[in-house]
Amino acid sequence: MTKRGIDALARALAAAMVAVLCGCHQDSAHAPPAAQAPPVKAADLNAERLAAGEPDQWLTPGRDANGTYYSPLKDINAGNVGKLGFAWDYHLGTNRGQQSTPLVIDGVMYATSNFGRVYALDAASGKELWTYDPHIDGQWARYACCDAVNRGLAAFEGRLYVGALDGWLHALDARTGQMVWKVDTLIGRGERKPYTVTGAPLLAGGLIIIGNAGSDFAGARGYVSAYDLKSGELRWRFFTVPRNPAEGAQDQPHLDAALKTWDPRHRWDAGSGGTVWDGMAYDPALKLVYIGTANGAPYNSHLGGRHGGDELYAASIIAIRADGSMAWYYQTTPGDRWDYDSTQKLVLADVELDGRLRHVVMQAAKNGFYYVLDRASGELLSAHNFAFVSWTRGIDAKTGRPVVDPSASYDHGPALLFPSEAGAHSWQPMAYDVKRRITFIPVIESGNVIVEASDRRAGLVEGQFTTPAFPPEVYDPKSMRSLYGTLPPISQLARGMKTNTASRGFLRAWSVPEHRVVWEAQTATSWDGGVLATAGGLVFQGDANGSLNAYSSDTGERLASVAMGSSMMAAPMTYRVGGTQYIAIVAGYGGGGVITGWPLDPASAAYRYGNEGRLIVLKVGGPPPPLPALRTDPPLPEPPARPSDARQIAAGEVLYNRFCSRCHVMGRGNLPDLRRMQAGTHALFDSIVLGGAYVPKGMARFDDVLSPADAGAVHAYLIDQAWQLKQASASSQNSENERTPISTRATERNRPGDRYRR
């Protein structure tokens, strides 16, 4: 057997042992013997090189200082893209979601994976140079609303900077992978404030900027922190939302104005939200840092008798000066009640609008609108919807405020809202073609039914959405009645809406000067990957069903589709080494559209082949990429004796949905289906859930919110469900995943119509 085969076998055996022992919550990183050291001048990146944006390199997560995800390389083009094939791959040793885009600097690739692990590889061969494991506190995995993902790293003057899931910022020597320093970026760590770090740090002059996630949790208050690149010393911290006024004066002047926009009865214990978990940019000429903020918390504004307000500066785009003071802000969704974060990628560009060259910052926001703002002043230059929206009738031209549609209220019963909590555009990067002045957006055409939960038996969901919301495909009033009471049918909620209620995905080409869609192509599902655009006239996007697709930048015609055998969410990237242009993508499924309560779509590659994370690299003339083995489920184990207390089982159902279901789905998912627990896991159930036996593996303890009786009720419910599964499987092998798939298989190209507009 070759060394490659031995390594692959060792990884498979290690993964199997972890799966048997602990359910694979935090996967062990692949770490074969280190190869030769990389060049002495590893990541030799400075401000001049960053400004130049060298074509062969990929210097930031968005390739250049403007975050465009656009490459000037054109060796791969419409004439030869059909010959793309396999160059090399690297197995990450994990089955969790992958959302990062690697860097390539002087022939070395630097990539990240779950929890903040870092890998340095030879960009031409895939040979491993070194790996780095941040050794996170596994308890923090509980606070990751949407999988233990990481979106990349920053490089500068021989160092790499990466945020770990548990909130520590690490500076590494790019040559050796050794830690230079690390700092704790979290406030309230001793109080177990529910923050995590999933986004890539941002370079801003001599500073490294990092935000965090947590707006879907009780207790998180948004902020970003700026650290000295060389020493790691904290330079300033900018808070996005006020603190409890009972605690004294606000931290910074801009918060005094913000406080006036919050209801005095606000639940300050909920932390106010407004976290900055993605979406940052920097203009070195203006010396301004741009950030996007998440929803206010809790976004159900009627909890606690509140009546709402604008709730600044949640759901906003903010410019921060070099000294940490606020320059300007624009709030995209005042008084957000629908989880419409503005944390999507921010792209800087110089665009001629109405005959005038404007220096702008742009965002395709979660709420369905494409915003173009003046970088210096924050002036709103345009805001037009790129997807179907029902929550608003449009943006008032004079005030820049949305005109909220009365149908968006769920005060007196469930409401069907477009877009869904996943957004019309989520974290998946869009790409801006600087020559064509077109942005290619991975669009989600999906609504959700929001249920007012304050008086429902199910209550709120811990660490997830502060108001339950369900895609139309899984909204089933009959099966949901035990948790949410009597609910109306979807046909009643959709009455009067001129749209297809099924969840779909599109790649849309948006003309920035013309404020319109110029072409669209329907994609495999509503939760596909980020986008890469190139000067070769191509747009690349991976999808959930396992294909990396290449489209014509001008027409949207699909020119090539490479079967990868892995579901993809991250954006592809491209680079050139030794005269050869490569296309690379970090493959692996997860995140908000996958991990939060629903089993995998049977059409997805993750369902069919499993979800082992891979870094896959293609080149023209290579063979077809190797496909993983088909996924199989082990035989169902014999459950313990079936519980007989119906009230205990019913109580366990509520607690399971409140605390467990967002990670542990019933069916094929990325984490274990708890109906399939082995006898040893059943025996350790209380030790795991209450005692933290698997915290080192990323399975947190819940003894702060669950009593021994609660844990017993959850266990009883799972045992009862295991028996139901066993009985159903005896009569039908296909009963395990009865849900309607949340995707379409269509990939045909369509010209845009008025369908996506209200």
Side-chain angles (χ1 to χ4, degrees):
M1 182 180 292
T2 65
K3 182 179 184 299
R4 182 184 181 92
I6 294 171
D7 286 345
L9 179 59
R11 290 194 299 271
L13 290 173
M17 291 189 68
V18 171
V20 170
L21 293 174
C22 67
C24 291
H25 259 82
Q26 179 175 338
D27 311 287
S28 299
H30 157 55
Q36 64 186 28
V40 174
K41 292 186 177 180
D44 186 24
L45 178 63
N46 55 30
E48 290 74 21
R49 292 189 69 184
L50 188 58
E54 302 167 20
D56 287 4
Q57 318 292 333
W58 193 279
L59 303 176
T60 74
R63 197 199 77 83
D64 51 35
N66 292 334
T68 61
Y69 288 84
Y70 172 81
S71 171
L73 293 180
K74 51 187 177 182
D75 296 350
I76 299 174
N77 51 55
N80 60 18
V81 69
K83 299 178 182 179
L84 270 183
F86 183 70
W88 57 265
D89 68 356
Y90 179 84
H91 295 255
L92 298 169
T94 172
N95 64 352
R96 304 294 288 263
Q98 303 295 331
Q99 297 185 1
S100 67
T101 301
L103 310 182
V104 171
I105 306 171
D106 300 330
V108 179
M109 177 179 288
Y110 305 101
T112 66
S113 182
N114 313 126
F115 304 101
R117 299 187 184 110
V118 184
Y119 308 84
L121 311 170
D122 183 287
S125 67
K127 180 185 297 184
E128 182 185 288
L129 304 175
W130 53 258
T131 65
Y132 178 77
D133 188 336
H135 298 292
I136 75 156
D137 179 350
Q139 182 69 15
W140 252 255
R142 167 176 161 186
Y143 305 136
C145 84
C146 309
D147 208 355
V149 297
N150 186 280
R151 296 186 195 90
L153 70 169
F156 199 71
E157 294 183 340
R159 290 185 181 177
L160 305 173
Y161 301 88
V162 64
L165 188 76
D166 60 354
W168 288 83
L169 177 64
H170 299 246
L172 311 179
D173 184 316
R175 185 178 64 84
T176 64
Q178 297 298 307
M179 183 179 68
V180 178
W181 53 255
K182 73 173 185 176
V183 294
D184 188 0
T185 72
L186 300 190
I187 59 175
R189 181 179 293 276
E191 306 168 57
R192 294 285 179 178
K193 295 290 186 182
Y195 293 103
T196 54
V197 171
T198 57
L202 173 73
L203 287 169
L207 302 175
I208 190 79
I209 314 291
I210 192 72
N212 49 62
S215 287
D216 292 319
F217 291 68
R221 178 190 177 202
Y223 63 91
V224 292
S225 305
Y227 297 91
D228 184 272
L229 278 171
K230 295 183 178 179
S231 67
E233 181 180 352
L234 178 66
R235 294 303 186 193
W236 50 259
R237 179 165 283 149
F238 179 94
F239 286 94
T240 64
V241 291
R243 68 174 179 172
N244 187 348
E247 297 176 358
Q250 295 299 316
D251 313 80
Q252 295 162 300
H254 68 278
L255 298 173
D256 293 327
L259 183 61
K260 299 174 184 177
T261 68
W262 288 75
D263 193 312
R265 292 165 294 184
H266 173 69
R267 281 184 50 185
W268 296 105
D269 63 301
S272 307
T275 53
V276 185
W277 52 267
D278 201 19
M280 300 190 292
Y282 176 64
D283 185 328
L286 296 172
K287 291 183 169 54
L288 290 179
V289 172
Y290 305 95
I291 63 171
T293 64
N295 56 279
Y299 64 80
N300 180 348
S301 64
H302 283 252
L303 291 176
R306 292 161 48 221
H307 293 286
D310 281 2
E311 297 183 339
L312 293 171
Y313 299 94
S316 298
I317 298 170
I318 303 172
I320 307 171
R321 299 185 184 95
D323 62 359
S325 63
M326 188 172 74
W328 56 257
Y329 78 91
Y330 173 76
Q331 190 170 40
T332 60
T333 313
D336 171 38
R337 299 188 58 203
W338 310 282
D339 196 11
Y340 291 158
D341 304 11
S342 284
T343 52
Q344 291 63 53
K345 299 291 189 294
L346 296 169
V347 175
L348 306 184
D350 298 333
V351 183
E352 186 173 307
L353 298 173
D354 300 323
R356 178 183 171 188
L357 183 66
R358 304 298 297 257
H359 307 295
V360 303
V361 56
M362 307 183 295
Q363 183 186 70
K366 203 174 179 183
N367 68 12
F369 285 82
Y370 193 96
Y371 294 96
V372 182
L373 304 172
D374 184 277
R375 291 211 297 269
S377 67
E379 176 190 356
L380 177 65
L381 302 178
S382 69
H384 299 270
N385 61 304
F386 60 88
F388 177 78
V389 299
S390 68
W391 69 277
T392 177
R393 294 175 175 176
I395 307 297
D396 185 283
K398 294 182 179 179
T399 66
R401 295 175 62 91
V403 180
V404 177
D405 194 296
S407 68
S409 172
Y410 50 89
D411 293 344
H412 306 293
L416 175 61
L417 270 298
F418 282 83
S420 72
E421 288 174 315
H425 173 221
S426 191
W427 63 267
Q428 287 95 328
M430 62 187 190
Y432 176 65
D433 188 318
V434 298
K435 300 296 184 183
R436 292 171 173 82
R437 297 180 297 173
I438 289 176
T439 302
F440 303 100
I441 311 171
V443 179
I444 304 168
E445 285 281 8
S446 177
N448 56 207
V449 178
I450 299 184
V451 179
E452 170 61 76
S454 59
D455 59 349
R456 302 287 181 173
R457 177 170 170 259
L460 299 182
V461 182
E462 193 267 351
Q464 184 52 23
F465 306 115
T466 52
T467 297
F470 305 92
E473 290 84 352
V474 300
Y475 176 73
D476 183 354
K478 183 178 179 180
S479 66
M480 294 166 61
R481 184 169 182 174
S482 64
L483 292 174
Y484 299 103
T486 302
L487 299 172
I490 192 71
S491 58
Q492 178 180 326
L493 297 174
R495 190 172 297 157
M497 284 192 179
K498 298 178 180 179
T499 188
N500 186 336
T501 60
S503 298
R504 297 163 298 153
F506 292 88
L507 177 63
R508 288 195 173 128
W510 179 267
S511 170
V512 175
E514 298 174 351
H515 321 304
R516 69 180 183 91
V517 173
V518 295
W519 61 255
E520 68 178 19
Q522 188 167 351
T523 57
T525 75
S526 63
W527 192 254
D528 292 315
V531 182
L532 161 70
T534 75
L538 300 174
V539 183
F540 293 90
Q541 182 188 31
D543 66 35
N545 291 353
S547 294
L548 181 66
N549 303 297
Y551 302 88
S552 165
S553 300
D554 293 321
T555 67
E557 179 184 359
R558 191 173 68 173
L559 302 175
S561 184
V562 182
M564 309 281 264
S566 295
S567 296
M568 289 162 280
M569 302 184 297
M573 53 86 72
T574 187
Y575 60 95
R576 185 163 54 194
V577 175
T580 299
Q581 182 183 352
Y582 298 90
I583 305 290
I585 189 167
V586 181
Y589 216 37
V594 179
I595 200 74
T596 50
W598 321 121
L600 292 168
D601 185 334
S604 70
Y607 183 95
R608 292 179 289 128
Y609 294 105
N611 198 45
E612 183 186 9
R614 292 193 293 160
L615 206 166
I616 309 173
V617 180
L618 307 178
K619 65 178 181 180
V620 171
L627 302 181
L630 290 173
R631 179 176 180 176
T632 59
D633 294 319
L636 286 171
E638 184 72 13
R642 192 166 192 173
S644 58
D645 188 338
R647 288 180 299 180
Q648 183 190 37
I649 294 170
E653 178 188 17
V654 173
L655 294 168
Y656 176 84
N657 279 275
R658 197 177 291 173
F659 298 106
C660 314
S661 63
R662 65 187 175 90
C663 291
H664 293 283
V665 304
M666 292 191 176
R668 279 191 185 177
N670 290 344
L671 295 178
D673 180 345
L674 297 183
R675 299 174 300 176
R676 292 177 168 272
M677 286 188 289
Q678 299 291 331
T681 308
H682 281 290
L684 291 172
F685 191 85
D686 284 359
S687 297
I688 297 168
V689 174
L690 302 177
Y694 287 172
V695 165
K697 306 286 186 186
M699 168 60 203
R701 62 193 301 162
F702 285 82
D703 55 330
D704 58 327
V705 291
L706 295 177
S707 67
D710 292 336
V714 173
H715 197 187
Y717 169 69
L718 289 170
I719 294 171
D720 184 72
Q721 289 292 307
W723 277 105
Q724 291 188 37
L725 174 62
K726 190 172 183 65
Q727 291 168 351
S729 297
S731 58
S732 173
Q733 294 298 315
N734 299 318
S735 63
E736 185 176 348
N737 289 278
E738 294 177 344
R739 298 184 189 271
T740 302
I742 310 177
S743 72
T744 63
R745 297 300 300 275
T747 54
E748 67 272 14
R749 178 169 58 95
N750 299 297
R751 289 289 174 183
D754 294 330
R755 161 183 51 70
Y756 64 92
R757 299 190 181 276
R758 178 140 172 68

